[in-house]
């Protein structure tokens, strides 16, 4: 079984809709991250969390919010989706000893 | 401009040929991570480099870290179709191990 899972894997929605992307990990790590990937722009950090009570904005947090429900769960919400939020979204968790990040399979989100 | 530049952006090589991908930072590298991504899928961790001059190998892939040049190289020997994908470098540029900055990736195609 995968260590980092994301649901849904694909989602098509309309402008203005609220969307939640979910991430779960079984690695037992405290640190979790949300990124988006766009062609030519690489991975950009949206939010990160060092534990259940610690949440931090990344470089592109506007239009997004997160919830850390438990050590294993970190959700990303788009309160009112807009077309330029169409992207591939990745969740990751990091090993506290090596700082290596392990990624989920991604969620492809399309906002029409 | 990108803090982490990868070159080339894309590469097409014939099966059996060697190739090198570079990742150059505009800041001090405190840790450098290489990942491979199949199109539209998650990132698979390849290797981590932390010390200047460090070199690691896994199967036919070798990564080196040149601390003075603030650069890392990924070398594939005798490329195979299974090596095709997008290679991304990620780096800790702050020395805090709290988050990684990623390059925009190098797309590798291996022809028969």
């Amino acid at each position: 079984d995968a260590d980092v899972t994301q649901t849904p894997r694909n989602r098509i929605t309309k402008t203005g809709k609220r969307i939640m992307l979910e991430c779960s990990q079984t690695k037992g790590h405290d640190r979790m991250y949300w990124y988006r990937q766009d062609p030519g722009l690489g991975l950009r950090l949206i939010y990160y969390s060092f534990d259940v009570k610690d949440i931090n904005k990344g470089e592109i947090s506007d239009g997004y919010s997160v919830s850390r429900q438990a050590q294993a769960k970190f959700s990303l919400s788009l309160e009112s989706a807009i077309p330029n939020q169409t992207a591939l979204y990745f969740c990751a968790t990091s090993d506290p000893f090596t700082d290596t990040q392990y990624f989920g399979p991604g969620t492809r989100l399309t906002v029409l | 401009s990108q803090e982490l530049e990868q070159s080339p952006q894309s590469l097409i090589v014939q099966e059996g040929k060697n190739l090198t991908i570079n990742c150059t930072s505009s800041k001090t590298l405190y840790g450098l991570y290489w990942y491979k991504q199949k199109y539209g899928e998650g990132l698979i961790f390849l290797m981590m480099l932390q010390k200047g001059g460090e070199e690691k190998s896994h199967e036919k892939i070798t990564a080196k870290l040149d601390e003075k040049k603030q650069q890392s190289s990924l070398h594939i020997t005798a490329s195979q179709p299974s090596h095709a994908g997008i290679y991304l470098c990620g780096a800790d540029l702050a020395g805090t191990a709290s988050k990684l900055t990623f390059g925009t990736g190098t797309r590798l195609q291996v022809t028969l």
Side-chain angles (χ1 to χ4, degrees), chain A residues 31 33 37 50 98-99 101, chain B residues 33 35 37 41 48 97-98:
Chain A
R31 296 185 177 188
Y33 306 80
Q37 185 179 39
F50 286 172
T98 66
D99 301 313
Q101 293 192 13
Chain B
Y33 304 78
Y35 292 86
Q37 182 184 20
E41 297 181 11
M48 173 188 71
S98 61

Side-chain angles (χ1 to χ4, degrees), chain A residues 45-103:
Chain A
L45 184 63
I46 305 172
Y47 271 96
Y48 60 104
S49 171
F50 286 172
D51 65 37
V52 175
K53 296 181 181 180
D54 181 63
I55 293 178
N56 306 278
K57 292 183 178 180
E59 59 182 298
I60 54 162
S61 59
D62 288 348
Y64 301 94
S65 63
V66 291
S67 173
R68 185 80 185 266
Q69 300 95 325
Q71 185 199 44
K73 297 184 182 296
F74 193 33
S75 300
L76 177 72
S77 294
L78 287 67
E79 297 302 325
S80 179
I82 56 177
N84 76 0
Q85 290 178 314
T86 293
L88 188 54
Y89 288 84
F90 288 107
C91 172
T93 180
S94 67
D95 184 310
F97 299 106
T98 66
D99 301 313
T100 300
Q101 293 192 13
Y102 297 94
F103 286 80

